[in-house]
Amino acid sequence: AQTVTQSQPEMSVQEAETVTLSCTYDTSESDYYLFWYKQPPSRQMILVIRQEAYKQQNATENRFSVNFQKAAKSFSLKISDSQLGDAAMYFCAYALIQGAQKLVFGQGTRLTINP
Amino acid sequence: DVKVTQSSRYLVKRTGEKVFLECVQDMDHENMFWYRQDPGLGLRLIYFSYDVKMKEKGDIPEGYSVSREKKERFSLILESASTNQTSMYLCASSLDQSSYEQYFGPGTRLTVT
């Protein structure tokens, strides 16, 4: 079975600084997707960024970028120029490309932004 | 924008009661999902549905059932609520089997006493 592990329950960063959230996963499959979802205090979860495993290039969305290391099964999220609105729970998630769309989530990391 | 709504933000029920959690999406999505969220455990999939009247078990289906009579509505049923079902319940939907982005509702905080 696939598992996703986020080893940092909580992180904090100064506003305007850069922070990296860690995620590792375990799978025997070669084709899959990885995601970072953000859950602000209002609770509505939204997708931040997605990475296809077959792509070597790391995905980027504005201030958000990932460091995808397929061999190491590592998928970290880097947030540059942190803003107060980035404060949230961040979840790493995995899904197989073939078959069911089931997402497997990590435990989450609570990110605090210090003004 | 896709909107996923859940019938209640907060719900308090007694042990043994039958509980219905309702979820509605307004974008004609084929897929709908129910998760429970617990601190330190992340989100765990309870049930999902690819089409009307179709359902599949997720990772933790025990003690739950679901109903999807209409495409836009997916209900989670706790047949006999227990205290270990106290949790945050999140509903999500996605367009179809080629789409991996899931859109989430605001969640229902259920307390069983």
Side-chain angles (χ1 to χ4, degrees):
Chain A
Q2 293 82 18
T3 59
V4 177
T5 301
Q6 294 177 248
S7 59
Q8 306 154 314
E10 295 182 351
M11 293 278 287
S12 64
V13 64
Q14 291 295 127
E15 194 176 1
E17 297 293 310
T18 295
V19 63
T20 298
L21 308 184
S22 301
C23 173
T24 59
Y25 58 96
D26 187 24
T27 183
S28 58
E29 304 292 336
S30 59
D31 292 329
Y32 49 88
Y33 287 115
L34 294 165
F35 307 86
W36 279 98
Y37 276 85
K38 171 185 177 181
Q39 187 181 42
S42 66
R43 298 285 184 182
Q44 204 111 14
M45 188 101 68
I46 57 172
L47 178 66
V48 175
I49 199 165
R50 183 182 87 176
Q51 174 80 41
E52 291 88 345
Y54 62 86
K55 290 186 177 179
Q56 293 189 342
Q57 187 171 5
N58 289 323
T60 298
E61 288 287 342
N62 301 315
R63 297 183 295 108
F64 298 86
S65 61
V66 299
N67 183 4
F68 173 48
Q69 303 287 331
K70 191 172 184 179
K73 297 180 182 176
S74 169
F75 183 61
S76 60
L77 175 69
K78 185 172 82 171
I79 306 174
S80 303
D81 186 24
S82 298
Q83 300 175 2
L84 294 177
D86 295 333
M89 281 290 288
Y90 286 82
F91 291 95
C92 179
Y94 162 103
L96 281 173
I97 288 181
Q98 296 295 331
Q101 284 188 329
K102 294 192 300 181
L103 288 175
V104 178
F105 284 87
Q107 300 89 336
T109 297
R110 182 173 301 280
L111 178 64
T112 301
I113 312 296
N114 300 313
Chain B
D1 284 347
V2 175
K3 182 170 272 189
V4 180
T5 58
Q6 295 183 229
S7 50
S8 305
R9 291 300 301 270
Y10 300 94
L11 206 54
V12 179
K13 295 292 182 181
R14 292 186 180 271
T15 302
E17 279 193 81
K18 190 169 186 176
V19 182
F20 293 86
L21 303 183
E22 306 286 341
C23 175
V24 177
Q25 49 92 6
D26 67 355
M27 283 302 292
D28 202 34
H29 282 182
E30 292 184 1
N31 308 321
M32 297 188 75
F33 307 82
W34 275 107
Y35 297 91
R36 66 176 281 174
Q37 180 180 358
D38 299 289
L41 297 178
L43 279 73
R44 293 177 291 166
L45 182 64
I46 304 171
Y47 268 97
F48 59 104
S49 169
Y50 289 148
D51 202 351
V52 175
K53 297 190 186 297
M54 176 275 174
K55 60 185 178 184
E56 287 198 28
K57 293 180 180 179
D59 299 318
I60 52 165
E62 297 78 17
Y64 304 93
S65 62
V66 291
S67 172
R68 195 169 181 196
E69 297 295 319
K70 294 185 177 182
K71 190 174 185 179
E72 68 270 18
R73 187 181 297 271
F74 191 37
S75 302
L76 180 68
I77 304 158
L78 287 65
E79 295 288 342
S80 178
S82 64
T83 55
N84 63 13
Q85 293 178 310
T86 291
S87 186
M88 171 68 79
Y89 290 88
L90 295 177
C91 176
S93 71
S94 64
L95 180 60
D96 54 34
Q97 294 206 40
S98 66
S99 172
Y100 283 82
E101 181 171 359
Q102 293 189 15
Y103 295 84
F104 285 81
T108 295
R109 168 74 65 186
L110 173 67
T111 301
V112 183
T113 62

